[in-house]
Amino acid sequence: MATAVIPDCSSPATTARLLDFRGFRGGAVHLRQSVSFRSAKSTTTTRLMVMACETSAKVIDGKSVAKQIRDEITEKVSRMKETINVVPGLAVVLVGERKDSQTYVRNKKKACEAVGIKSYDASFPEKCTEEELLKCISEFNSDPLVHGILVQLPLPRHINEERVLDSVSIEKDVDGFHPLNIGRLAMRDREPLFVPCTPKGAMELLHRCGIEIKGKRAVVIGRSNIVGTPAALLLQRENASVSIVHSYTKNPEEVTRQADIVISAAGHANLVRGCWIKPGAVVIDVGINTVDDPESPRGYRLVGDVCYEEVSKIASALTPVPGGVGPMTIAMLLSNTLDAAMRTHSFK
């Protein structure tokens, strides 16, 4: 079986300037699981900053949107402390010594401190038992100072991930992975207590850019439990007509080309080419992938699922990688933690 090689089409150097952006409304508005393809609530428009590139697409600056959200959270956390003397608390559970997981946990703790949320952490060695982990989560479930619990994934193979995630109290499931939260998300006239952070962040970018979702055709590339599936459910809840492209989809480029909104969470560098995109579509790139780059000090650089250089000439708006959905994920984790504390204490 021949291996198809997709040439690198992402450009690390794009000339851009920041514009004062009060909302994008295209005329025709027109995560992380690796996928192998067989074929080559608010609609209020807020003030954003986007980059106007030499290409046609508006590049949605997730960093500035995330900062705006963090500023809003900081104000609410401060008001909560002053009014009822309660500080939201987030517990993070880490197993093993994976460098990437340690980095993610460290960044989450810094983000908590920046907005005034108290962070708690529990670290376990790689060979810890499942029972030790469950006991720790049970203690956090019972701790009134802890309003949200996050178990850093992936877990070692000898630990049953499903059992561990299910043990987190639904009222503290700020990652949104509990089956009852996902079940409520899938049902009409039901509201989940929490929505998974990355797809929630992608939707928040659409909302804050004033991009209409109702009645639009949307395609989600990838069907992971963490991003793809909940992203499709969120789009459906807002009355988009949704298709999911996955590893068994025939002619994925033809399916994707019908979409007014594309959310790609395939974990495949430069998968989505220009020929996959309908002119004027809005593209949200969730993928974070590494490609070799001898000119980089690290020997590699980060790219998304989307071939930026090609798609930016066709789409009306898209998110960059890095600097798009990534910053929104942590912002949504902070938002979910604040919501948990406010719900627990009936604070408005």
Side-chain angles (χ1 to χ4, degrees), residues 37 216-223 227-237 239-246 249-265 276:
F37 286 86
K216 300 298 181 180
R217 289 188 176 183
V219 164
V220 177
I221 304 175
R223 53 178 174 176
V227 183
T229 296
L233 293 172
L234 286 168
L235 288 164
Q236 183 173 281
R237 286 172 73 90
N239 298 308
S241 297
V242 184
S243 297
I244 298 177
V245 168
H246 50 76
T249 301
K250 296 181 179 179
N251 301 317
E253 65 277 16
E254 294 182 11
V255 176
T256 306
R257 200 160 45 238
Q258 302 301 311
D260 303 306
I261 299 169
V262 176
I263 297 180
S264 183
W276 287 43

Short mmCIF file of all heavy atoms in Angstrom, two decimals, residues 37 216-223 227-237 239-246 249-265 276:
data_model
loop_
_atom_site.label_atom_id
_atom_site.label_comp_id
_atom_site.label_asym_id
_atom_site.label_seq_id
_atom_site.Cartn_x
_atom_site.Cartn_y
_atom_site.Cartn_z
N PHE A 37 -7.22 9.32 6.73
CA PHE A 37 -8.20 9.39 5.67
C PHE A 37 -7.72 8.62 4.45
O PHE A 37 -6.54 8.64 4.11
CB PHE A 37 -8.47 10.85 5.27
CG PHE A 37 -9.28 11.59 6.28
CD1 PHE A 37 -8.67 12.20 7.37
CD2 PHE A 37 -10.65 11.64 6.19
CE1 PHE A 37 -9.43 12.86 8.33
CE2 PHE A 37 -11.41 12.31 7.14
CZ PHE A 37 -10.79 12.92 8.20
N LYS A 216 -27.09 27.09 8.88
CA LYS A 216 -25.89 26.89 8.07
C LYS A 216 -25.51 25.41 7.99
O LYS A 216 -25.88 24.61 8.85
CB LYS A 216 -24.70 27.69 8.64
CG LYS A 216 -24.94 29.19 8.71
CD LYS A 216 -25.16 29.77 7.34
CE LYS A 216 -25.37 31.28 7.42
NZ LYS A 216 -25.58 31.87 6.07
N ARG A 217 -24.78 25.07 6.95
CA ARG A 217 -24.22 23.73 6.84
C ARG A 217 -22.87 23.70 7.53
O ARG A 217 -22.02 24.55 7.27
CB ARG A 217 -24.06 23.32 5.37
CG ARG A 217 -25.37 23.06 4.64
CD ARG A 217 -25.11 22.50 3.26
NE ARG A 217 -26.34 22.15 2.58
CZ ARG A 217 -26.40 21.57 1.38
NH1 ARG A 217 -25.27 21.29 0.74
NH2 ARG A 217 -27.56 21.30 0.82
N ALA A 218 -22.69 22.74 8.41
CA ALA A 218 -21.43 22.63 9.16
C ALA A 218 -20.86 21.24 9.00
O ALA A 218 -21.60 20.25 8.97
CB ALA A 218 -21.65 22.95 10.64
N VAL A 219 -19.53 21.17 8.92
CA VAL A 219 -18.83 19.88 8.87
C VAL A 219 -17.80 19.87 9.99
O VAL A 219 -17.03 20.82 10.15
CB VAL A 219 -18.15 19.66 7.51
CG1 VAL A 219 -17.11 18.53 7.61
CG2 VAL A 219 -19.18 19.32 6.45
N VAL A 220 -17.80 18.79 10.77
CA VAL A 220 -16.79 18.56 11.79
C VAL A 220 -15.91 17.41 11.32
O VAL A 220 -16.42 16.33 10.99
CB VAL A 220 -17.42 18.22 13.15
CG1 VAL A 220 -16.33 17.91 14.18
CG2 VAL A 220 -18.31 19.36 13.63
N ILE A 221 -14.62 17.65 11.25
CA ILE A 221 -13.67 16.62 10.81
C ILE A 221 -13.05 16.00 12.05
O ILE A 221 -12.33 16.66 12.79
CB ILE A 221 -12.60 17.22 9.89
CG1 ILE A 221 -13.25 17.92 8.70
CG2 ILE A 221 -11.63 16.13 9.42
CD1 ILE A 221 -12.27 18.65 7.79
N GLY A 222 -13.34 14.71 12.27
CA GLY A 222 -12.91 14.02 13.49
C GLY A 222 -14.09 13.79 14.40
O GLY A 222 -15.02 14.60 14.47
N ARG A 223 -14.07 12.65 15.12
CA ARG A 223 -15.21 12.30 15.96
C ARG A 223 -14.78 11.83 17.35
O ARG A 223 -15.39 10.93 17.93
CB ARG A 223 -16.07 11.23 15.28
CG ARG A 223 -15.30 10.01 14.83
CD ARG A 223 -16.21 8.98 14.20
NE ARG A 223 -15.44 7.87 13.64
CZ ARG A 223 -15.99 6.79 13.10
NH1 ARG A 223 -17.32 6.67 13.05
NH2 ARG A 223 -15.24 5.82 12.60
N VAL A 227 -13.31 16.29 21.39
CA VAL A 227 -13.56 17.47 20.56
C VAL A 227 -14.63 17.23 19.49
O VAL A 227 -15.65 17.91 19.46
CB VAL A 227 -12.26 17.97 19.88
CG1 VAL A 227 -12.55 19.24 19.08
CG2 VAL A 227 -11.19 18.23 20.90
N GLY A 228 -14.39 16.28 18.59
CA GLY A 228 -15.23 16.15 17.41
C GLY A 228 -16.70 15.93 17.71
O GLY A 228 -17.57 16.66 17.22
N THR A 229 -17.00 14.91 18.52
CA THR A 229 -18.41 14.60 18.81
C THR A 229 -19.12 15.73 19.55
O THR A 229 -20.21 16.14 19.15
CB THR A 229 -18.51 13.27 19.59
OG1 THR A 229 -18.03 12.22 18.74
CG2 THR A 229 -19.93 12.99 20.00
N PRO A 230 -18.53 16.28 20.65
CA PRO A 230 -19.23 17.39 21.31
C PRO A 230 -19.34 18.64 20.43
O PRO A 230 -20.32 19.38 20.53
CB PRO A 230 -18.41 17.66 22.57
CG PRO A 230 -17.11 16.95 22.38
CD PRO A 230 -17.37 15.82 21.45
N ALA A 231 -18.35 18.88 19.55
CA ALA A 231 -18.46 20.03 18.65
C ALA A 231 -19.65 19.88 17.72
O ALA A 231 -20.40 20.83 17.47
CB ALA A 231 -17.17 20.19 17.85
N ALA A 232 -19.85 18.66 17.19
CA ALA A 232 -21.00 18.41 16.32
C ALA A 232 -22.31 18.59 17.07
O ALA A 232 -23.27 19.16 16.54
CB ALA A 232 -20.90 16.99 15.74
N LEU A 233 -22.35 18.13 18.32
CA LEU A 233 -23.57 18.29 19.12
C LEU A 233 -23.86 19.76 19.42
O LEU A 233 -25.02 20.18 19.39
CB LEU A 233 -23.42 17.51 20.44
CG LEU A 233 -23.37 15.98 20.31
CD1 LEU A 233 -23.04 15.35 21.67
CD2 LEU A 233 -24.70 15.44 19.79
N LEU A 234 -22.82 20.53 19.68
CA LEU A 234 -23.01 21.96 19.95
C LEU A 234 -23.54 22.69 18.72
O LEU A 234 -24.43 23.55 18.82
CB LEU A 234 -21.69 22.58 20.41
CG LEU A 234 -21.25 22.22 21.84
CD1 LEU A 234 -19.80 22.64 22.06
CD2 LEU A 234 -22.15 22.90 22.87
N LEU A 235 -23.00 22.38 17.56
CA LEU A 235 -23.48 23.00 16.31
C LEU A 235 -24.93 22.62 16.06
O LEU A 235 -25.74 23.45 15.64
CB LEU A 235 -22.60 22.57 15.15
CG LEU A 235 -21.19 23.18 15.11
CD1 LEU A 235 -20.29 22.40 14.16
CD2 LEU A 235 -21.25 24.65 14.69
N GLN A 236 -25.25 21.37 16.31
CA GLN A 236 -26.62 20.89 16.10
C GLN A 236 -27.59 21.59 17.05
O GLN A 236 -28.71 21.94 16.66
CB GLN A 236 -26.67 19.38 16.33
CG GLN A 236 -28.03 18.75 16.09
CD GLN A 236 -27.96 17.25 16.18
OE1 GLN A 236 -27.54 16.57 15.24
NE2 GLN A 236 -28.37 16.70 17.31
N ARG A 237 -27.15 21.82 18.29
CA ARG A 237 -28.02 22.51 19.26
C ARG A 237 -28.33 23.93 18.81
O ARG A 237 -29.33 24.50 19.23
CB ARG A 237 -27.34 22.54 20.63
CG ARG A 237 -27.35 21.20 21.36
CD ARG A 237 -26.52 21.25 22.61
NE ARG A 237 -27.15 22.02 23.67
CZ ARG A 237 -27.97 21.51 24.60
NH1 ARG A 237 -28.26 20.22 24.58
NH2 ARG A 237 -28.49 22.27 25.54
N ASN A 239 -28.86 24.71 15.73
CA ASN A 239 -29.67 24.58 14.51
C ASN A 239 -28.88 24.66 13.21
O ASN A 239 -29.40 25.11 12.19
CB ASN A 239 -30.80 25.62 14.52
CG ASN A 239 -31.76 25.43 15.68
OD1 ASN A 239 -32.27 24.33 15.90
ND2 ASN A 239 -31.96 26.48 16.45
N ALA A 240 -27.62 24.22 13.26
CA ALA A 240 -26.88 24.00 12.02
C ALA A 240 -27.20 22.59 11.52
O ALA A 240 -27.60 21.71 12.29
CB ALA A 240 -25.38 24.13 12.27
N SER A 241 -27.04 22.38 10.23
CA SER A 241 -27.16 21.04 9.65
C SER A 241 -25.75 20.46 9.62
O SER A 241 -24.88 20.97 8.91
CB SER A 241 -27.74 21.10 8.24
OG SER A 241 -29.06 21.62 8.27
N VAL A 242 -25.52 19.41 10.41
CA VAL A 242 -24.15 18.97 10.71
C VAL A 242 -23.83 17.63 10.08
O VAL A 242 -24.62 16.68 10.15
CB VAL A 242 -23.95 18.87 12.24
CG1 VAL A 242 -22.50 18.51 12.56
CG2 VAL A 242 -24.35 20.17 12.93
N SER A 243 -22.64 17.55 9.48
CA SER A 243 -22.08 16.28 9.00
C SER A 243 -20.74 16.07 9.70
O SER A 243 -20.01 17.03 9.98
CB SER A 243 -21.86 16.31 7.48
OG SER A 243 -23.09 16.47 6.80
N ILE A 244 -20.42 14.80 9.97
CA ILE A 244 -19.13 14.46 10.56
C ILE A 244 -18.31 13.69 9.54
O ILE A 244 -18.78 12.69 8.97
CB ILE A 244 -19.30 13.62 11.84
CG1 ILE A 244 -20.06 14.42 12.91
CG2 ILE A 244 -17.95 13.17 12.38
CD1 ILE A 244 -20.32 13.64 14.19
N VAL A 245 -17.10 14.16 9.31
CA VAL A 245 -16.16 13.48 8.42
C VAL A 245 -15.19 12.69 9.29
O VAL A 245 -14.61 13.23 10.23
CB VAL A 245 -15.40 14.50 7.54
CG1 VAL A 245 -14.22 13.84 6.83
CG2 VAL A 245 -16.36 15.12 6.52
N HIS A 246 -15.02 11.41 8.97
CA HIS A 246 -14.13 10.56 9.76
C HIS A 246 -13.37 9.62 8.84
O HIS A 246 -13.42 9.76 7.60
CB HIS A 246 -14.93 9.79 10.82
CG HIS A 246 -16.13 9.07 10.28
ND1 HIS A 246 -16.03 7.89 9.56
CD2 HIS A 246 -17.45 9.38 10.32
CE1 HIS A 246 -17.23 7.48 9.21
NE2 HIS A 246 -18.11 8.38 9.65
N THR A 249 -15.25 7.99 5.95
CA THR A 249 -16.03 8.84 5.05
C THR A 249 -15.47 8.77 3.63
O THR A 249 -14.27 8.96 3.42
CB THR A 249 -16.01 10.30 5.53
OG1 THR A 249 -16.55 10.38 6.85
CG2 THR A 249 -16.83 11.20 4.61
N LYS A 250 -16.34 8.50 2.67
CA LYS A 250 -15.92 8.50 1.28
C LYS A 250 -15.92 9.93 0.74
O LYS A 250 -16.83 10.70 1.01
CB LYS A 250 -16.85 7.63 0.43
CG LYS A 250 -16.81 6.15 0.81
CD LYS A 250 -17.75 5.33 -0.07
CE LYS A 250 -17.68 3.85 0.31
NZ LYS A 250 -18.60 3.04 -0.52
N ASN A 251 -14.88 10.26 -0.01
CA ASN A 251 -14.74 11.60 -0.60
C ASN A 251 -14.91 12.71 0.45
O ASN A 251 -15.80 13.56 0.35
CB ASN A 251 -15.77 11.81 -1.71
CG ASN A 251 -15.61 10.78 -2.82
OD1 ASN A 251 -14.50 10.47 -3.24
ND2 ASN A 251 -16.73 10.26 -3.31
N PRO A 252 -14.07 12.71 1.49
CA PRO A 252 -14.22 13.71 2.56
C PRO A 252 -14.11 15.14 2.05
O PRO A 252 -14.76 16.04 2.59
CB PRO A 252 -13.08 13.37 3.53
CG PRO A 252 -12.10 12.60 2.72
CD PRO A 252 -12.90 11.83 1.73
N GLU A 253 -13.29 15.35 1.01
CA GLU A 253 -13.15 16.72 0.50
C GLU A 253 -14.46 17.22 -0.11
O GLU A 253 -14.80 18.39 0.02
CB GLU A 253 -12.02 16.80 -0.52
CG GLU A 253 -12.21 16.02 -1.81
CD GLU A 253 -11.84 14.55 -1.70
OE1 GLU A 253 -11.71 14.05 -0.57
OE2 GLU A 253 -11.70 13.91 -2.75
N GLU A 254 -15.23 16.33 -0.74
CA GLU A 254 -16.51 16.74 -1.33
C GLU A 254 -17.53 17.08 -0.24
O GLU A 254 -18.30 18.03 -0.37
CB GLU A 254 -17.04 15.64 -2.24
CG GLU A 254 -16.18 15.41 -3.49
CD GLU A 254 -16.77 14.36 -4.39
OE1 GLU A 254 -17.94 13.95 -4.17
OE2 GLU A 254 -16.07 13.93 -5.33
N VAL A 255 -17.54 16.27 0.82
CA VAL A 255 -18.45 16.54 1.93
C VAL A 255 -18.09 17.87 2.59
O VAL A 255 -18.97 18.71 2.85
CB VAL A 255 -18.38 15.41 2.97
CG1 VAL A 255 -19.26 15.73 4.18
CG2 VAL A 255 -18.80 14.08 2.35
N THR A 256 -16.81 18.08 2.84
CA THR A 256 -16.36 19.30 3.52
C THR A 256 -16.64 20.53 2.68
O THR A 256 -16.95 21.60 3.21
CB THR A 256 -14.86 19.20 3.83
OG1 THR A 256 -14.62 17.99 4.56
CG2 THR A 256 -14.39 20.38 4.66
N ARG A 257 -16.55 20.39 1.36
CA ARG A 257 -16.73 21.54 0.47
C ARG A 257 -18.16 22.07 0.47
O ARG A 257 -18.42 23.16 -0.04
CB ARG A 257 -16.29 21.16 -0.94
CG ARG A 257 -15.98 22.35 -1.82
CD ARG A 257 -15.11 22.00 -3.01
NE ARG A 257 -15.54 20.79 -3.69
CZ ARG A 257 -14.78 19.71 -3.87
NH1 ARG A 257 -13.55 19.69 -3.38
NH2 ARG A 257 -15.25 18.66 -4.50
N GLN A 258 -19.10 21.33 1.05
CA GLN A 258 -20.48 21.81 1.15
C GLN A 258 -20.70 22.73 2.34
O GLN A 258 -21.75 23.35 2.47
CB GLN A 258 -21.43 20.60 1.27
CG GLN A 258 -21.35 19.61 0.13
CD GLN A 258 -21.65 20.24 -1.21
OE1 GLN A 258 -22.66 20.95 -1.35
NE2 GLN A 258 -20.81 19.99 -2.20
N ALA A 259 -19.70 22.82 3.22
CA ALA A 259 -19.92 23.46 4.52
C ALA A 259 -19.73 24.97 4.50
O ALA A 259 -18.79 25.48 3.88
CB ALA A 259 -18.99 22.84 5.55
N ASP A 260 -20.59 25.66 5.24
CA ASP A 260 -20.41 27.08 5.52
C ASP A 260 -19.46 27.26 6.71
O ASP A 260 -18.77 28.27 6.81
CB ASP A 260 -21.75 27.73 5.87
CG ASP A 260 -22.79 27.55 4.78
OD1 ASP A 260 -22.48 27.90 3.62
OD2 ASP A 260 -23.89 27.04 5.07
N ILE A 261 -19.46 26.28 7.62
CA ILE A 261 -18.59 26.30 8.80
C ILE A 261 -17.87 24.96 8.89
O ILE A 261 -18.51 23.90 8.81
CB ILE A 261 -19.40 26.53 10.09
CG1 ILE A 261 -20.13 27.87 10.04
CG2 ILE A 261 -18.51 26.46 11.33
CD1 ILE A 261 -21.15 28.07 11.14
N VAL A 262 -16.56 24.99 9.03
CA VAL A 262 -15.76 23.78 9.16
C VAL A 262 -15.00 23.84 10.48
O VAL A 262 -14.33 24.83 10.77
CB VAL A 262 -14.74 23.63 8.00
CG1 VAL A 262 -13.86 22.40 8.22
CG2 VAL A 262 -15.46 23.55 6.66
N ILE A 263 -15.14 22.78 11.29
CA ILE A 263 -14.32 22.62 12.49
C ILE A 263 -13.49 21.36 12.29
O ILE A 263 -14.04 20.26 12.18
CB ILE A 263 -15.17 22.51 13.76
CG1 ILE A 263 -15.96 23.81 13.99
CG2 ILE A 263 -14.29 22.21 14.98
CD1 ILE A 263 -16.84 23.79 15.23
N SER A 264 -12.18 21.52 12.23
CA SER A 264 -11.31 20.37 12.00
C SER A 264 -10.59 19.99 13.28
O SER A 264 -9.88 20.80 13.87
CB SER A 264 -10.29 20.66 10.90
OG SER A 264 -9.50 19.50 10.65
N ALA A 265 -10.77 18.72 13.68
CA ALA A 265 -10.12 18.19 14.88
C ALA A 265 -9.64 16.77 14.60
O ALA A 265 -9.97 15.82 15.29
CB ALA A 265 -11.09 18.19 16.06
N TRP A 276 -10.72 21.66 -0.45
CA TRP A 276 -11.74 21.12 0.43
C TRP A 276 -12.74 22.20 0.86
O TRP A 276 -13.79 21.88 1.42
CB TRP A 276 -11.11 20.55 1.71
CG TRP A 276 -10.36 19.28 1.57
CD1 TRP A 276 -9.50 18.92 0.58
CD2 TRP A 276 -10.39 18.18 2.48
NE1 TRP A 276 -8.99 17.67 0.82
CE2 TRP A 276 -9.50 17.19 1.99
CE3 TRP A 276 -11.04 17.94 3.70
CZ2 TRP A 276 -9.28 15.98 2.64
CZ3 TRP A 276 -10.82 16.73 4.35
CH2 TRP A 276 -9.95 15.76 3.82
#
